[in-house]
Amino acid sequence: MIDMHSHCLPFVDDGADSVETSLAMLEDAKSKGADIVVATPHCVLRKQDMETFLRIRNESYNTICEIVNRDTQRYPKLLTGAEVFLGSDISEFEDLKKLCYEGTDYILLELSPVVSCSLLSEWIYNISITGLKPVIAHIDRFENYKRMKQELKGIDVVYQINAARFFGMFSGFAVKQIVEGYDKFIVSSDMHNLTTRKFNMHQAMRCAEKIVPHMCDMMFHAGAESMLFNNNF
Ligand SMILES: [Fe+2]
């Protein structure tokens, strides 16, 4: 499995609160089948300048990587990205590409819940015409996901679903509704810690095999792999 959305770096955002927690989260993910984990700390460009964010993220990443790279049996491969908040038109920022998944043009966007779907789609379109490929973070958490998907028709986007969406009494119905009529989905953990929001993609995959068996490979591996090679899927 490839996890494209996680908050496993220490001292960067509301994710791992120590180096020990960070390493334990990564070890846990590996033991449950994650081959690659991408660290995607929260990035709010209007609150923090991009260079500061990148410096802090990279320092944290380098600290963890030094340990993780020494033991590939115990830890997954760790890559960098960012979860970029979309609360305004950020297409005007130069070097937005620096916030993409490393080595790619894919950028993970967290949609503001208080902005209209039409305005969000306009901003996403503006990002797409700069040559970047928008990935919509946890579309399942977005109340108006149906409207959002309609607004985004014609724009090449990837939708990310949180693994936790697959659990619960109505998960089958909910997931089927979300994926209906569109074909680019990935599932990620969005893990923040070892307790309330831990790695759970292995459980989600077992549920997905029953709910959307034809999409499992794309959702848990192939889609993310294409993205990391900067290919379409
Ligand atoms: Fe997140």
Side-chain angles (χ1 to χ4, degrees):
M1 284 181 286
I2 302 176
D3 189 355
M4 298 292 277
H5 184 167
S6 77
H7 300 269
C8 60
L9 291 182
F11 314 126
V12 180
D13 60 4
D14 59 340
D17 57 4
S18 67
V19 169
E20 291 72 25
T21 304
S22 173
L23 292 172
M25 286 166 71
L26 290 166
E27 188 175 355
D28 184 49
K30 175 78 173 184
S31 74
K32 288 168 178 164
D35 304 305
I36 299 173
V37 171
V38 188
T40 53
H42 292 289
C43 175
V44 185
L45 287 171
R46 305 280 177 202
K47 283 191 183 164
Q48 186 181 41
D49 83 29
M50 194 188 300
E51 292 309 318
T52 306
F53 168 81
L54 291 170
R55 181 177 51 75
I56 294 170
R57 183 200 66 182
N58 292 345
E59 279 173 12
S60 180
Y61 173 76
N62 290 337
T63 304
I64 297 301
C65 242
E66 207 172 293
I67 304 165
V68 165
N69 286 345
R70 269 190 256 136
D71 196 345
T72 54
Q73 294 295 310
R74 189 170 174 184
Y75 300 112
K77 185 176 180 183
L78 185 62
L79 301 174
T80 55
E83 181 177 9
V84 185
F85 185 66
L86 193 64
S88 60
D89 187 356
I90 57 169
S91 65
E92 64 199 46
F93 278 90
E94 281 181 26
D95 298 332
L96 207 53
K97 188 174 162 61
K98 288 180 179 175
L99 297 174
C100 290
Y101 290 102
E102 67 176 86
T104 84
D105 295 321
Y106 285 96
I107 184 165
L108 182 64
L109 301 170
E110 180 181 28
L111 308 186
S112 166
V114 297
V115 176
S116 71
C117 292
S118 56
L119 199 50
L120 284 169
S121 68
E122 190 182 312
W123 296 339
I124 292 166
Y125 173 75
N126 290 346
I127 291 169
S128 75
I129 59 173
T130 69
L132 301 188
K133 299 170 181 175
V135 181
I136 311 302
H138 35 62
I139 184 67
D140 54 291
R141 268 171 38 182
F142 197 71
E143 210 177 319
N144 278 335
Y145 70 83
K146 276 188 187 169
R147 175 82 198 281
M148 199 66 241
K149 281 170 64 181
Q150 262 177 1
E151 292 278 354
L152 290 174
K153 267 191 179 155
I155 307 175
D156 192 16
V157 301
V158 175
Y159 291 106
Q160 182 258 314
I161 301 178
N162 274 8
R165 181 58 53 195
F166 286 83
F167 315 137
M169 204 184 292
F170 303 108
S171 58
F173 179 73
V175 169
K176 280 181 181 167
Q177 288 267 301
I178 292 165
V179 302
E180 193 181 22
Y182 205 84
D183 58 356
K184 287 189 183 181
F185 285 92
I186 57 168
V187 175
S188 314
S189 73
D190 196 10
M191 61 175 160
H192 280 63
N193 53 44
L194 285 163
T195 52
T196 52
R197 297 181 73 181
K198 59 186 178 182
F199 183 85
N200 52 6
M201 285 179 68
H202 59 306
Q203 291 165 295
M205 190 157 74
R206 284 200 291 272
C207 298
E209 279 163 358
K210 293 180 193 141
I211 300 167
V212 280
H214 57 294
M215 296 177 85
C216 271
D217 183 46
M218 171 184 67
M219 284 177 150
F220 291 86
H221 182 83
E225 188 174 58
S226 299
M227 290 166 66
L228 293 175
F229 281 113
N230 205 27
N231 293 330
N232 291 321
F233 72 100

PDB file of all heavy atoms in Angstrom, residues 71-92:
ATOM      1  N   ASP A  71      16.831   1.370   8.288  1.00  0.00           N
ATOM      2  CA  ASP A  71      16.149   0.105   8.556  1.00  0.00           C
ATOM      3  C   ASP A  71      14.893  -0.023   7.693  1.00  0.00           C
ATOM      4  O   ASP A  71      13.767   0.234   8.143  1.00  0.00           O
ATOM      5  CB  ASP A  71      15.792   0.031  10.047  1.00  0.00           C
ATOM      6  CG  ASP A  71      15.439  -1.383  10.482  1.00  0.00           C
ATOM      7  OD1 ASP A  71      15.190  -2.229   9.593  1.00  0.00           O
ATOM      8  OD2 ASP A  71      15.409  -1.643  11.686  1.00  0.00           O
ATOM      9  N   THR A  72      15.098  -0.431   6.469  1.00  0.00           N
ATOM     10  CA  THR A  72      13.984  -0.493   5.520  1.00  0.00           C
ATOM     11  C   THR A  72      13.062  -1.688   5.774  1.00  0.00           C
ATOM     12  O   THR A  72      11.973  -1.767   5.204  1.00  0.00           O
ATOM     13  CB  THR A  72      14.501  -0.541   4.061  1.00  0.00           C
ATOM     14  OG1 THR A  72      15.427  -1.624   3.960  1.00  0.00           O
ATOM     15  CG2 THR A  72      15.185   0.757   3.687  1.00  0.00           C
ATOM     16  N   GLN A  73      13.511  -2.627   6.605  1.00  0.00           N
ATOM     17  CA  GLN A  73      12.633  -3.739   6.983  1.00  0.00           C
ATOM     18  C   GLN A  73      11.577  -3.268   7.980  1.00  0.00           C
ATOM     19  O   GLN A  73      10.461  -3.767   8.015  1.00  0.00           O
ATOM     20  CB  GLN A  73      13.450  -4.865   7.641  1.00  0.00           C
ATOM     21  CG  GLN A  73      14.435  -5.536   6.713  1.00  0.00           C
ATOM     22  CD  GLN A  73      13.757  -6.271   5.573  1.00  0.00           C
ATOM     23  OE1 GLN A  73      12.838  -7.051   5.800  1.00  0.00           O
ATOM     24  NE2 GLN A  73      14.173  -5.997   4.346  1.00  0.00           N
ATOM     25  N   ARG A  74      11.972  -2.286   8.769  1.00  0.00           N
ATOM     26  CA  ARG A  74      11.125  -1.838   9.869  1.00  0.00           C
ATOM     27  C   ARG A  74      10.241  -0.654   9.488  1.00  0.00           C
ATOM     28  O   ARG A  74       9.143  -0.480  10.029  1.00  0.00           O
ATOM     29  CB  ARG A  74      12.050  -1.446  11.012  1.00  0.00           C
ATOM     30  CG  ARG A  74      11.386  -1.154  12.311  1.00  0.00           C
ATOM     31  CD  ARG A  74      12.473  -1.020  13.372  1.00  0.00           C
ATOM     32  NE  ARG A  74      11.934  -0.609  14.639  1.00  0.00           N
ATOM     33  CZ  ARG A  74      12.679  -0.347  15.715  1.00  0.00           C
ATOM     34  NH1 ARG A  74      13.981  -0.446  15.649  1.00  0.00           N
ATOM     35  NH2 ARG A  74      12.123   0.023  16.831  1.00  0.00           N
ATOM     36  N   TYR A  75      10.758   0.168   8.573  1.00  0.00           N
ATOM     37  CA  TYR A  75      10.037   1.410   8.223  1.00  0.00           C
ATOM     38  C   TYR A  75       9.724   1.456   6.728  1.00  0.00           C
ATOM     39  O   TYR A  75      10.486   0.942   5.916  1.00  0.00           O
ATOM     40  CB  TYR A  75      10.898   2.628   8.574  1.00  0.00           C
ATOM     41  CG  TYR A  75      11.263   2.730  10.034  1.00  0.00           C
ATOM     42  CD1 TYR A  75      12.580   2.552  10.451  1.00  0.00           C
ATOM     43  CD2 TYR A  75      10.295   3.019  10.995  1.00  0.00           C
ATOM     44  CE1 TYR A  75      12.931   2.645  11.793  1.00  0.00           C
ATOM     45  CE2 TYR A  75      10.637   3.120  12.338  1.00  0.00           C
ATOM     46  CZ  TYR A  75      11.956   2.935  12.732  1.00  0.00           C
ATOM     47  OH  TYR A  75      12.293   3.030  14.059  1.00  0.00           O
ATOM     48  N   PRO A  76       8.637   2.147   6.368  1.00  0.00           N
ATOM     49  CA  PRO A  76       8.344   2.331   4.938  1.00  0.00           C
ATOM     50  C   PRO A  76       9.264   3.403   4.354  1.00  0.00           C
ATOM     51  O   PRO A  76       9.904   4.144   5.094  1.00  0.00           O
ATOM     52  CB  PRO A  76       6.890   2.828   4.947  1.00  0.00           C
ATOM     53  CG  PRO A  76       6.717   3.481   6.285  1.00  0.00           C
ATOM     54  CD  PRO A  76       7.633   2.776   7.236  1.00  0.00           C
ATOM     55  N   LYS A  77       9.300   3.458   3.051  1.00  0.00           N
ATOM     56  CA  LYS A  77      10.008   4.567   2.395  1.00  0.00           C
ATOM     57  C   LYS A  77       9.232   5.849   2.695  1.00  0.00           C
ATOM     58  O   LYS A  77       7.997   5.860   2.606  1.00  0.00           O
ATOM     59  CB  LYS A  77      10.056   4.303   0.891  1.00  0.00           C
ATOM     60  CG  LYS A  77      10.865   5.315   0.113  1.00  0.00           C
ATOM     61  CD  LYS A  77      10.943   4.918  -1.352  1.00  0.00           C
ATOM     62  CE  LYS A  77      11.769   5.950  -2.099  1.00  0.00           C
ATOM     63  NZ  LYS A  77      11.819   5.675  -3.538  1.00  0.00           N
ATOM     64  N   LEU A  78       9.935   6.899   3.042  1.00  0.00           N
ATOM     65  CA  LEU A  78       9.259   8.145   3.423  1.00  0.00           C
ATOM     66  C   LEU A  78       9.548   9.237   2.400  1.00  0.00           C
ATOM     67  O   LEU A  78      10.709   9.487   2.058  1.00  0.00           O
ATOM     68  CB  LEU A  78       9.756   8.565   4.817  1.00  0.00           C
ATOM     69  CG  LEU A  78       9.098   9.786   5.457  1.00  0.00           C
ATOM     70  CD1 LEU A  78       7.603   9.559   5.683  1.00  0.00           C
ATOM     71  CD2 LEU A  78       9.770  10.113   6.799  1.00  0.00           C
ATOM     72  N   LEU A  79       8.480   9.865   1.906  1.00  0.00           N
ATOM     73  CA  LEU A  79       8.618  10.942   0.918  1.00  0.00           C
ATOM     74  C   LEU A  79       7.950  12.208   1.452  1.00  0.00           C
ATOM     75  O   LEU A  79       7.220  12.159   2.443  1.00  0.00           O
ATOM     76  CB  LEU A  79       7.954  10.533  -0.408  1.00  0.00           C
ATOM     77  CG  LEU A  79       8.484   9.258  -1.083  1.00  0.00           C
ATOM     78  CD1 LEU A  79       7.613   8.908  -2.297  1.00  0.00           C
ATOM     79  CD2 LEU A  79       9.937   9.436  -1.516  1.00  0.00           C
ATOM     80  N   THR A  80       8.175  13.332   0.761  1.00  0.00           N
ATOM     81  CA  THR A  80       7.579  14.594   1.223  1.00  0.00           C
ATOM     82  C   THR A  80       6.485  15.111   0.295  1.00  0.00           C
ATOM     83  O   THR A  80       6.518  14.916  -0.921  1.00  0.00           O
ATOM     84  CB  THR A  80       8.634  15.712   1.361  1.00  0.00           C
ATOM     85  OG1 THR A  80       9.314  15.835   0.109  1.00  0.00           O
ATOM     86  CG2 THR A  80       9.596  15.446   2.475  1.00  0.00           C
ATOM     87  N   GLY A  81       5.562  15.803   0.933  1.00  0.00           N
ATOM     88  CA  GLY A  81       4.502  16.523   0.236  1.00  0.00           C
ATOM     89  C   GLY A  81       3.970  17.566   1.194  1.00  0.00           C
ATOM     90  O   GLY A  81       4.652  17.931   2.169  1.00  0.00           O
ATOM     91  N   ALA A  82       2.766  18.030   0.957  1.00  0.00           N
ATOM     92  CA  ALA A  82       2.134  19.006   1.851  1.00  0.00           C
ATOM     93  C   ALA A  82       0.628  18.922   1.640  1.00  0.00           C
ATOM     94  O   ALA A  82       0.166  18.530   0.557  1.00  0.00           O
ATOM     95  CB  ALA A  82       2.621  20.414   1.535  1.00  0.00           C
ATOM     96  N   GLU A  83      -0.118  19.265   2.681  1.00  0.00           N
ATOM     97  CA  GLU A  83      -1.567  19.398   2.547  1.00  0.00           C
ATOM     98  C   GLU A  83      -1.838  20.901   2.552  1.00  0.00           C
ATOM     99  O   GLU A  83      -1.781  21.554   3.600  1.00  0.00           O
ATOM    100  CB  GLU A  83      -2.291  18.706   3.707  1.00  0.00           C
ATOM    101  CG  GLU A  83      -3.808  18.803   3.575  1.00  0.00           C
ATOM    102  CD  GLU A  83      -4.546  18.056   4.699  1.00  0.00           C
ATOM    103  OE1 GLU A  83      -3.893  17.606   5.661  1.00  0.00           O
ATOM    104  OE2 GLU A  83      -5.780  17.957   4.600  1.00  0.00           O
ATOM    105  N   VAL A  84      -2.093  21.422   1.377  1.00  0.00           N
ATOM    106  CA  VAL A  84      -2.141  22.874   1.203  1.00  0.00           C
ATOM    107  C   VAL A  84      -3.581  23.361   1.337  1.00  0.00           C
ATOM    108  O   VAL A  84      -4.471  22.896   0.598  1.00  0.00           O
ATOM    109  CB  VAL A  84      -1.564  23.265  -0.179  1.00  0.00           C
ATOM    110  CG1 VAL A  84      -1.497  24.777  -0.310  1.00  0.00           C
ATOM    111  CG2 VAL A  84      -0.188  22.641  -0.382  1.00  0.00           C
ATOM    112  N   PHE A  85      -3.796  24.268   2.256  1.00  0.00           N
ATOM    113  CA  PHE A  85      -5.152  24.758   2.513  1.00  0.00           C
ATOM    114  C   PHE A  85      -5.611  25.661   1.366  1.00  0.00           C
ATOM    115  O   PHE A  85      -4.901  26.590   0.962  1.00  0.00           O
ATOM    116  CB  PHE A  85      -5.176  25.528   3.830  1.00  0.00           C
ATOM    117  CG  PHE A  85      -6.559  25.971   4.238  1.00  0.00           C
ATOM    118  CD1 PHE A  85      -7.525  25.036   4.571  1.00  0.00           C
ATOM    119  CD2 PHE A  85      -6.886  27.317   4.283  1.00  0.00           C
ATOM    120  CE1 PHE A  85      -8.808  25.436   4.937  1.00  0.00           C
ATOM    121  CE2 PHE A  85      -8.169  27.725   4.644  1.00  0.00           C
ATOM    122  CZ  PHE A  85      -9.128  26.776   4.972  1.00  0.00           C
ATOM    123  N   LEU A  86      -6.816  25.379   0.881  1.00  0.00           N
ATOM    124  CA  LEU A  86      -7.375  26.187  -0.197  1.00  0.00           C
ATOM    125  C   LEU A  86      -8.499  27.052   0.375  1.00  0.00           C
ATOM    126  O   LEU A  86      -9.677  26.694   0.342  1.00  0.00           O
ATOM    127  CB  LEU A  86      -7.898  25.284  -1.318  1.00  0.00           C
ATOM    128  CG  LEU A  86      -8.212  25.992  -2.632  1.00  0.00           C
ATOM    129  CD1 LEU A  86      -6.963  26.596  -3.273  1.00  0.00           C
ATOM    130  CD2 LEU A  86      -8.867  25.043  -3.630  1.00  0.00           C
ATOM    131  N   GLY A  87      -8.084  28.219   0.912  1.00  0.00           N
ATOM    132  CA  GLY A  87      -9.050  29.163   1.469  1.00  0.00           C
ATOM    133  C   GLY A  87      -9.032  30.472   0.712  1.00  0.00           C
ATOM    134  O   GLY A  87      -9.717  31.431   1.073  1.00  0.00           O
ATOM    135  N   SER A  88      -8.231  30.478  -0.353  1.00  0.00           N
ATOM    136  CA  SER A  88      -8.132  31.660  -1.230  1.00  0.00           C
ATOM    137  C   SER A  88      -7.494  31.177  -2.529  1.00  0.00           C
ATOM    138  O   SER A  88      -7.119  30.011  -2.640  1.00  0.00           O
ATOM    139  CB  SER A  88      -7.259  32.732  -0.569  1.00  0.00           C
ATOM    140  OG  SER A  88      -5.963  32.222  -0.347  1.00  0.00           O
ATOM    141  N   ASP A  89      -7.384  32.088  -3.485  1.00  0.00           N
ATOM    142  CA  ASP A  89      -6.788  31.703  -4.765  1.00  0.00           C
ATOM    143  C   ASP A  89      -5.265  31.668  -4.612  1.00  0.00           C
ATOM    144  O   ASP A  89      -4.614  32.715  -4.634  1.00  0.00           O
ATOM    145  CB  ASP A  89      -7.190  32.697  -5.850  1.00  0.00           C
ATOM    146  CG  ASP A  89      -6.738  32.225  -7.224  1.00  0.00           C
ATOM    147  OD1 ASP A  89      -6.057  31.182  -7.299  1.00  0.00           O
ATOM    148  OD2 ASP A  89      -7.066  32.898  -8.220  1.00  0.00           O
ATOM    149  N   ILE A  90      -4.706  30.478  -4.446  1.00  0.00           N
ATOM    150  CA  ILE A  90      -3.257  30.375  -4.217  1.00  0.00           C
ATOM    151  C   ILE A  90      -2.476  30.194  -5.515  1.00  0.00           C
ATOM    152  O   ILE A  90      -1.251  30.054  -5.479  1.00  0.00           O
ATOM    153  CB  ILE A  90      -2.916  29.228  -3.235  1.00  0.00           C
ATOM    154  CG1 ILE A  90      -3.455  27.885  -3.745  1.00  0.00           C
ATOM    155  CG2 ILE A  90      -3.446  29.526  -1.829  1.00  0.00           C
ATOM    156  CD1 ILE A  90      -2.930  26.681  -2.957  1.00  0.00           C
ATOM    157  N   SER A  91      -3.195  30.205  -6.653  1.00  0.00           N
ATOM    158  CA  SER A  91      -2.497  30.001  -7.921  1.00  0.00           C
ATOM    159  C   SER A  91      -1.516  31.139  -8.209  1.00  0.00           C
ATOM    160  O   SER A  91      -0.597  30.996  -9.006  1.00  0.00           O
ATOM    161  CB  SER A  91      -3.505  29.883  -9.072  1.00  0.00           C
ATOM    162  OG  SER A  91      -4.202  31.103  -9.240  1.00  0.00           O
ATOM    163  N   GLU A  92      -1.724  32.268  -7.529  1.00  0.00           N
ATOM    164  CA  GLU A  92      -0.844  33.424  -7.758  1.00  0.00           C
ATOM    165  C   GLU A  92       0.517  33.267  -7.060  1.00  0.00           C
ATOM    166  O   GLU A  92       1.443  34.013  -7.337  1.00  0.00           O
ATOM    167  CB  GLU A  92      -1.525  34.708  -7.256  1.00  0.00           C
ATOM    168  CG  GLU A  92      -1.763  34.691  -5.767  1.00  0.00           C
ATOM    169  CD  GLU A  92      -2.833  35.706  -5.327  1.00  0.00           C
ATOM    170  OE1 GLU A  92      -3.892  35.778  -5.969  1.00  0.00           O
ATOM    171  OE2 GLU A  92      -2.572  36.411  -4.352  1.00  0.00           O
TER     172      GLU A  92
END
